[in-house]
Amino acid sequence: MTMAETMDNKSGNRPLMSFVVTYHNEDISMLRECLTSILSLSLSKAEKEVIVVDDGSDICPMNELMEYGDNVIYVRKPNGGLGSARNLGITIATGTYMQFVDADDYLITAEYERCLDVARYKNPDMVMFNFTRNNKVEQNMTVVDETPVAGVDFMRQNNLRGTSWGYLFKKDVIHNLRFPADIVHEDEEFTPQLVLRCERIFSLDSVAYFYRVHSNRITTSNDNRWKLRRLDDTETVIMRLHRRSDTLPYEERQALRRRIAQLTMDYLHNVIVLTRSRRFLDERIETLEREGLFPLPEKAYTRKYAIFSKMVKTSVGRNILLATLPIISHRK
């Protein structure tokens, strides 16, 4: 019996992997590159399911996808944002594991194979991996000790990267969890809650995902209204996760509150570099204070966190931060 047949038997003939590719007005050449990277993986046709969710693009790309035949499932929906597109993908997907991919990005095939091997042989709930913006990545041949940890332990000991394309995960773990459809930064609310549901997480050093940076990407917009929405939505995520933490058992609550503290630090950092306004910074801090989210917990999570959390507590420190923090690249 082949490994593919073994996996089919274990999963009730479900594909091993469902790839959900979210698409909205990206250049069709980028979508093709994305799909080619997925279809190049060492997965048989029965082991994979590739779903393109078109979130109401101005021009339907269906004709451009005809060349892929039944290797790609295409669905189109009214524009509702990334969260709603990914939620539709969750509903459609039948694979044992899922992977989200943005249409203007792609998988680094050789590196992603290591993640697939963990999914095939080690029964993970989640496999995390690294990303790059460099499209000339050398294959990583380093062998590491891949030992699983529970999500609650991972979050208590590590800073979490919230991007939902930075891991593959077992679909059955998700249960009723879905992306919020009313905000940007939807994965920052989704990912920590998913991680807490996982009992076996493997964190690999594989650089398996290429994140494309280009001027018209939604997360690189310099529009002032867009900056304000980014900040407002991040604040919303922080408040929601904070309220959610109050309902959790102690260990999970402590794990989620580390993530909340990290998000809050990043949020205040972005308030500074996106607005350069002391008045605006003070107003946002007052809102956090009313919710019990400021001052930031005095923890040595990272050196950056320890320094920033001390400085932002004082008037002098805030002035120094406003004068010295560099302009950041705008990422999710």
Side-chain angles (χ1 to χ4, degrees):
M1 180 178 290
T2 67
M3 177 53 62
E5 289 170 335
T6 301
M7 291 304 302
D8 283 348
N9 286 346
K10 287 182 178 180
S11 60
N13 294 321
R14 295 168 66 181
L16 174 66
M17 290 293 308
S18 288
F19 298 91
V20 174
V21 179
T22 48
Y23 175 83
H24 179 71
N25 289 338
E26 288 84 1
D27 190 300
I28 196 66
S29 65
M30 294 179 185
L31 177 59
R32 286 200 185 100
E33 188 173 21
C34 175
L35 294 176
T36 297
S37 74
I38 297 170
L39 295 172
S40 298
L41 295 167
S42 63
L43 293 164
S44 69
K45 188 172 183 178
E47 288 182 297
K48 66 177 176 290
E49 177 180 67
V50 184
I51 304 165
V52 175
V53 181
D54 178 0
D55 187 36
S57 294
D58 296 338
I59 300 175
C60 173
M62 187 166 61
N63 290 338
E64 305 286 348
L65 299 178
M66 295 297 290
E67 64 188 88
Y68 297 101
D70 60 359
N71 289 313
V72 171
I73 299 167
Y74 171 80
V75 292
R76 181 173 170 86
K77 61 179 285 298
N79 179 246
L82 260 177
S84 66
R86 288 173 177 154
N87 288 340
L88 180 57
I90 292 170
T91 300
I92 296 170
T94 63
T96 301
Y97 291 94
M98 291 189 63
Q99 172 72 57
F100 294 111
V101 190
D102 290 350
D104 47 357
D105 300 337
Y106 58 80
L107 302 179
I108 300 172
T109 307
E111 290 287 286
Y112 196 82
E113 293 289 353
R114 295 179 65 199
C115 308
L116 289 178
D117 283 344
V118 175
R120 286 179 173 119
Y121 302 117
K122 298 195 175 182
N123 190 34
D125 291 327
M126 178 179 285
V127 182
M128 296 178 174
F129 47 81
N130 293 324
F131 77 97
T132 183
R133 301 173 193 175
N134 178 5
N135 60 3
K136 296 181 180 179
V137 176
E138 294 183 5
Q139 185 173 350
N140 181 4
M141 300 302 295
T142 304
V143 177
V144 295
D145 180 22
E146 295 162 352
T147 304
V149 296
V152 63
D153 294 328
F154 183 89
M155 283 180 58
R156 289 186 68 185
Q157 299 167 12
N158 298 277
N159 280 353
L160 181 68
R161 189 172 68 242
T163 49
S164 61
W165 41 255
Y167 50 83
L168 63 85
F169 64 96
K170 186 175 287 184
K171 187 182 180 185
D172 290 350
V173 172
I174 201 172
H175 299 297
N176 63 345
L177 180 63
R178 294 295 184 271
F179 289 91
D182 58 335
I183 58 172
V184 294
H185 301 297
E186 67 290 325
D187 39 8
E188 292 287 10
E189 185 171 339
F190 175 89
T191 295
Q193 296 184 77
L194 178 63
V195 169
L196 285 178
R197 298 176 183 219
C198 296
E199 294 296 328
R200 290 173 56 82
I201 293 179
F202 291 81
S203 181
L204 307 188
D205 62 351
S206 298
V207 181
Y209 191 97
F210 175 73
Y211 178 89
R212 191 187 307 273
V213 179
H214 50 90
S215 60
N216 64 340
R217 189 163 191 154
I218 192 169
T219 54
T220 61
S221 172
N222 288 314
D223 180 84
N224 286 334
R225 289 175 299 177
W226 180 249
K227 291 178 183 179
L228 183 58
R229 184 183 175 190
R230 288 185 64 216
L231 294 174
D232 288 345
D233 285 356
T234 303
E235 184 179 271
T236 296
V237 169
I238 291 168
M239 299 298 182
R240 288 176 177 175
L241 290 178
H242 181 60
R243 295 180 193 116
R244 172 64 177 153
S245 71
D246 289 337
T247 70
L248 297 176
Y250 177 78
E251 296 292 331
E252 293 184 17
R253 183 166 65 250
Q254 294 302 109
L256 185 54
R257 285 186 173 171
R258 170 171 178 157
R259 179 58 185 162
I260 292 167
Q262 179 190 349
L263 272 175
T264 305
M265 181 197 73
D266 291 342
Y267 165 67
L268 292 175
H269 181 281
N270 288 349
V271 168
I272 292 169
V273 298
L274 292 177
T275 71
R276 298 291 173 181
S277 167
R278 175 61 190 267
R279 179 186 62 80
F280 195 83
L281 175 62
D282 288 345
E283 289 174 354
R284 294 292 170 132
I285 287 175
E286 288 174 7
T287 299
L288 293 172
E289 281 182 315
R290 288 195 294 271
E291 296 292 329
L293 289 161
F294 190 88
L296 293 169
E298 293 185 5
K299 302 284 187 179
Y301 293 139
T302 64
R303 184 171 179 271
K304 176 183 176 181
Y305 176 90
I307 293 172
F308 185 93
S309 61
K310 288 180 180 178
M311 291 186 69
V312 80
K313 282 195 299 185
T314 69
S315 178
V316 172
R318 291 176 200 176
N319 286 336
I320 294 172
L321 290 170
L322 282 161
T324 60
L325 281 182
I327 298 295
I328 61 169
S329 60
H330 306 151
R331 283 187 48 78
K332 289 184 289 186

